[in-house]
Amino acid sequence: AQSVTQLDSQVPVFEEAPVELRCNYSSSVSVYLFWYVQYPNQGLQLLLKYLSGSTLVESINGFEAEFNKSQTSFHLRKPSVHISDTAEYFCAVSSFHSGNTPLVFGKGTRLSVIA
Amino acid sequence: NAGVTQTPKFRILKIGQSMTLQCTQDMNHNYMYWYRQDPGMGLKLIYYSVGAGITDKGEVPNGYNVSRSTTEDFPLRLELAAPSQTSVYFCASSQGSGEAFFGQGTRLTVV
C-alpha cells in the first residue's frame, strides 16, 4: 500500500519570500509523484509531476520539486511567492503495476501568502 | 474543450434520500475515479474503474455504488443519504502515466 504525508497543514509566508512545502511518501514499488493545486471552490489542477528521468521537475509558474528516492521525498519549492499562489497544495503518488494505480493523496497544505 | 464534467455543482439531500452524481469525460480515458474531499483530510478514493464494465472499491466505498457502461460516463449513486456523506465529491479520469484530470466538484450536504 502507498501513503503520502504532508508535514505541514498550513504555511503562512510573506509575498516575495521563498517557500517549501514538504511531502514524504511510502511505497514498496516504483512511483510516480505529483503536486496538485486547488484554488477556492475549484477542482484540482496538476502543478507538476515526476514520472522518470531528471529528479528535478518544474512548473510553468516558477514552482519546482525534487524527487529524492533515498529520503522518499518530493518537496515543493518556490523562490519567491506571489499573492496569487495562495491555495491548497496536495502531494499525490501512484505507481504502475499491471496498469495505473489510483492516486493516493496527502492531506494537503494550505499556503497563505501575506502582502 | 470540456475535459471532465460533473453535475450537479451543489445539492442538498434529506437523510434517507437517494441521488446520482453524474460524471462524463471527453478525453477517451480508460481510468475514472470518484474521490471525496473533507476538510483537513485530503482526498479519499471511493470507487474507480479501469474501463467500461469494470469497477473496483477504493478506500471508502460504503454507502455508494457505481457503474461504467460506457468509456465516457461514471455515475456515483448514493442510495440512503447519511450526514456522514456531506462532502465535496470529485470525479477524475486518467490515461497512461497516472496523471488525473479532475472535474469541478459537487458539493453535497445531507440534512
Side-chain angles (χ1 to χ4, degrees):
Chain A
Q2 298 166 322
S3 66
V4 176
T5 301
Q6 292 184 244
L7 296 162
D8 305 295
S9 59
Q10 297 187 59
V11 173
V13 62
F14 286 104
E15 193 174 18
E16 298 184 5
V19 70
E20 177 180 80
L21 307 184
R22 296 178 292 169
C23 172
N24 287 90
Y25 70 91
S26 172
S27 177
S28 59
V29 298
S30 295
V31 296
Y32 303 139
L33 291 158
F34 305 84
W35 277 99
Y36 280 83
V37 59
Q38 184 181 35
Y39 299 103
N41 299 314
Q42 294 190 25
L44 278 73
Q45 304 171 32
L46 181 69
L47 188 61
L48 45 75
K49 62 186 177 184
Y50 169 78
L51 304 180
S52 64
S54 172
T55 58
L56 184 65
V57 292
E58 299 177 350
S59 72
I60 59 172
N61 58 350
F63 283 94
E64 65 178 30
E66 186 161 19
F67 170 54
N68 187 319
K69 188 174 182 179
S70 63
Q71 296 186 4
T72 61
S73 68
F74 191 55
H75 300 331
L76 181 70
R77 302 182 182 94
K78 189 171 185 179
S80 175
V81 296
H82 303 288
I83 293 289
S84 59
D85 294 323
T86 294
E88 189 150 22
Y89 292 79
F90 292 94
C91 182
V93 62
S94 74
S95 65
F96 186 86
H97 179 67
S98 301
N100 292 329
T101 62
L103 288 171
V104 174
F105 286 87
K107 293 185 177 182
T109 298
R110 187 171 299 277
L111 175 63
S112 299
V113 181
I114 305 162
Chain B
N1 190 13
V4 179
T5 302
Q6 291 182 237
T7 56
K9 287 185 169 52
F10 303 94
R11 184 71 185 268
I12 298 175
L13 278 183
K14 293 184 178 180
I15 294 171
Q17 287 185 320
S18 62
M19 77 165 293
T20 298
L21 282 67
Q22 302 292 344
C23 175
T24 187
Q25 52 97 3
D26 62 359
M27 297 173 282
N28 202 33
H29 286 170
N30 284 331
Y31 299 85
M32 294 189 75
Y33 316 90
W34 276 105
Y35 289 90
R36 60 176 288 171
Q37 182 182 23
D38 300 297
M41 299 303 293
L43 281 79
K44 294 192 182 296
L45 183 68
I46 305 171
Y47 271 95
Y48 67 102
S49 169
V50 301
I54 306 170
T55 63
D56 208 347
K57 295 178 180 179
E59 183 181 357
V60 290
N62 291 343
Y64 308 95
N65 278 300
V66 293
S67 60
R68 185 95 182 271
S69 57
T70 67
T71 299
E72 295 79 19
D73 300 308
F74 191 42
L76 178 72
R77 178 86 177 159
L78 283 71
E79 290 294 349
L80 291 170
S84 60
Q85 294 177 305
T86 294
S87 188
V88 181
Y89 292 84
F90 287 101
C91 179
S93 70
S94 72
Q95 188 80 5
S97 64
E99 172 189 346
F101 296 82
F102 284 80
Q104 291 297 296
T106 295
R107 187 174 296 272
L108 175 67
T109 302
V110 181
V111 296

